[in-house]
Amino acid sequence: LGYMVGCSSIPSYSSDYSQARNNTQGVMLDELKAQQIGLNFTSAFNTLGTPEFIKNTSALYAEQLYINDTLSQFSKRNSLIEHFEGMNKRVSNVSVTLLNTAYHNDSAYVHWHMAYDFKIFGTTRSMASSGLSEIRVDENNKIIFQQDFWDPANGLYRSLPYVSGAYSWLLPFKKSS
């Protein structure tokens, strides 16, 4: 019962996403521009687990933004980069493949596949997941809006030792500014 009461304070992902999507205007896209956004995105994330990753992602994102990666939400680049620094210490052997891109108005839809090794509880696990990221960029080609759509229960949680299915139930949605 205590856990259920605590759930009431979890922010509303759907409301935040709708508000950010309605209030964030990116540059209008064409097929070539959407493809370039996908290439920039996957190229930066292919350096995850290396010293270059923080520099690459710092250059990828605008100072003020909306990003929801399904597990966490951010509105400032500094908070996002701090999150990435923690991820960078736990991940190695990353391979991010751009599967395809599409666009509508100012949104690029980037379909990707990511495989990586993840260190947790003193062990390293090989993991993989596929997803789609809706991305909007400003006139400087910096990401100002990103909503990731992927299944963490399939792509991450099932690979975690000890916790697997229970982990997704226990992990609350994290929102940071």
Side-chain angles (χ1 to χ4, degrees), residues 31-147:
E31 188 174 336
L32 186 60
K33 181 75 172 167
Q35 180 75 14
Q36 191 59 55
I37 290 169
L39 290 171
N40 292 347
F41 180 75
T42 54
S43 293
F45 278 87
N46 261 312
T47 63
L48 180 59
T50 72
E52 294 81 27
F53 177 66
I54 300 304
K55 182 183 80 154
N56 292 344
T57 52
S58 292
L60 192 64
Y61 291 93
E63 181 59 41
Q64 298 295 314
L65 52 85
Y66 169 87
I67 178 173
N68 183 316
D69 69 3
T70 302
L71 301 176
S72 303
Q73 184 174 306
F74 301 93
S75 60
K76 292 185 176 30
R77 182 177 58 203
N78 292 346
S79 298
L80 175 63
I81 297 303
E82 193 175 297
H83 171 70
F84 285 163
E85 287 170 345
M87 282 177 46
N88 208 38
K89 294 174 186 171
R90 304 182 87 146
V91 178
S92 60
N93 299 319
V94 175
S95 173
V96 182
T97 305
L98 177 61
L99 300 176
N100 60 57
T101 57
Y103 74 96
H104 180 73
N105 294 330
D106 63 341
S107 291
Y109 297 91
V110 179
H111 186 196
W112 47 263
H113 180 267
M114 177 186 277
Y116 54 97
D117 291 339
F118 186 74
K119 291 182 267 185
I120 189 162
F121 302 127
T123 187
T124 300
R125 300 276 186 177
S126 293
M127 300 185 188
S129 61
S130 294
L132 182 87
S133 297
E134 178 184 4
I135 297 175
R136 293 178 180 176
V137 298
D138 64 14
E139 61 281 349
N140 298 313
N141 294 316
K142 305 282 188 194
I143 295 175
I144 56 174
F145 176 92
Q146 178 182 327
Q147 174 63 57

